[in-house]
Amino acid sequence: MVDLEQYLPILIFLFVAAALSALFVFLPMGVSRLTGAHKPDAEKLSEYECGFPAFEDPRSQFDVKFYLVAISFLLFDLEASFLFPWAVSLEYTGWTGWSAMVIFLGILGVGLAYEWKMGALDWQ
């Protein structure tokens, strides 16, 4: 027979997490409506993530520089995520691990130099 009292702390944790999540989502919206800070206008409702209106003709031309910079960010962000475990385990991997990471960083450096030379990082 399963003792369900063991699951009570997990259930309490889930209820507290759900309540705090709802509080952090709905409390600012309610406060902004009560204080009068909720005044949408064209500038507040405009696009700010991608730089061009989302609801236009899908066949219109757009600049792909934003996507190139976003992909570059993801690439070098992943590089940083590989550097942290490597630095922690360097004493166990020794010279083999160090040389593998130098080769990895060299390949990324060549990629960055190529990207820079081709003008993918220039923002007009």
Side-chain angles (χ1 to χ4, degrees):
M1 183 158 195
V2 177
D3 187 18
L4 294 179
E5 288 181 5
Q6 295 177 352
Y7 293 102
L8 184 62
I10 297 172
L11 189 62
I12 291 172
F13 177 76
L14 288 175
F15 280 128
V16 169
L20 283 175
S21 299
L23 184 74
F24 287 145
V25 169
F26 296 117
L27 184 67
M29 291 192 297
V31 169
S32 71
R33 292 212 183 252
L34 290 175
T35 60
H38 179 74
K39 296 176 183 170
D41 59 0
E43 187 65 30
K44 284 184 181 179
L45 297 176
S46 67
E47 302 81 17
Y48 58 90
E49 284 130 354
C50 60
F52 57 88
F55 302 107
E56 280 188 349
D57 182 24
R59 294 180 184 95
S60 65
Q61 292 184 351
F62 59 92
D63 193 15
V64 296
K65 295 272 186 188
F66 173 79
Y67 298 106
L68 291 174
V69 171
I71 289 171
S72 299
F73 171 75
L74 288 175
L75 176 73
F76 291 105
D77 187 42
L78 286 174
E79 173 197 349
S81 69
F82 284 134
L83 283 175
F84 289 122
W86 168 76
V88 169
S89 66
L90 187 58
E91 69 180 82
Y92 302 112
T93 58
W95 286 102
T96 307
W98 185 84
S99 60
M101 188 53 70
V102 167
I103 292 170
F104 175 69
L105 290 175
I107 292 171
L108 281 174
V110 168
L112 177 63
Y114 176 76
E115 193 174 30
W116 198 340
K117 183 179 183 300
M118 288 305 192
L121 301 177
D122 295 336
W123 195 266
Q124 285 103 3

